[in-house]
């Protein structure tokens, strides 16, 4: 699978965030999520997915389990099965999320 970023339509999640599925295959999925300042990825957990996230641009207040930290471009975090996690964009920001297995709900929402 080869994808040109410009050819991907963004899925509007809400008034402060949108996402693009950048690639998937086998059990992996990579998703770019763009947040406006103040945008929130509510604290949640996955019983069927592992997630690793990389801050591409900007900064976030990130909660993983009981820990909360400020992460900036170049930083990352891992959220395993059933680990509560969430983010708040402290400025206009971009995060790259990688899931295994892939998120069927994201595919359905993008149609």
């Amino acid at each position: 699978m080869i994808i040109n970023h410009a050819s991907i339509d963004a899925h509007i999640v809400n008034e402060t965030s949108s996402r693009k599925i950048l690639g998937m295959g086998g059990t992996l999925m990579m998703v770019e999520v763009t947040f406006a300042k103040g945008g929130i990825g509510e604290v949640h957990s996955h019983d069927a997915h592992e997630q690793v996230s990389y801050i591409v641009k900007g900064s976030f207040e990130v909660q993983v389990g009981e820990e909360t930290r400020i992460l900036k471009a170049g930083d990352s975090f891992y959220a395993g099965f059933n680990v509560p996690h969430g983010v708040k964009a402290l400025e206009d920001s971009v995060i790259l999320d990688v899931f295994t297995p892939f998120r069927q709900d994201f595919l359905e929402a993008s149609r």
Side-chain angles (χ1 to χ4, degrees):
M1 174 180 279
I2 298 174
I3 297 175
N4 290 346
H5 189 270
S7 70
I8 305 168
D9 291 329
H11 170 76
I12 305 302
V13 177
N14 57 41
E15 63 279 350
T16 59
S17 64
S18 64
R19 69 176 170 247
K20 290 185 173 191
I21 297 173
L22 300 183
M24 60 177 288
T27 63
L28 291 173
M29 173 183 269
M30 184 168 58
V31 180
E32 176 189 81
V33 188
T34 301
F35 287 88
K37 180 179 180 178
I40 294 175
E42 296 289 341
V43 175
H44 64 285
S45 62
H46 311 279
D47 61 355
H49 300 93
E50 292 177 276
Q51 175 180 341
V52 63
S53 297
Y54 175 79
I55 312 306
V56 175
K57 172 186 165 190
S59 60
F60 292 89
E61 179 180 280
V62 175
Q63 177 184 336
V64 179
E66 298 295 318
E67 188 173 4
T68 300
R69 289 208 190 157
I70 304 299
L71 298 184
K72 299 179 180 183
D75 297 335
S76 59
F77 68 89
Y78 166 76
F81 297 112
N82 298 309
V83 174
H85 58 284
V87 300
K88 178 180 179 184
L90 302 177
E91 58 190 295
D92 291 349
S93 300
V94 177
I95 192 167
L96 184 67
D97 293 329
V98 178
F99 298 98
T100 186
F102 65 85
R103 298 283 305 266
Q104 185 66 38
D105 56 327
F106 283 11
L107 294 174
E108 292 168 3
S110 295
R111 292 180 190 178

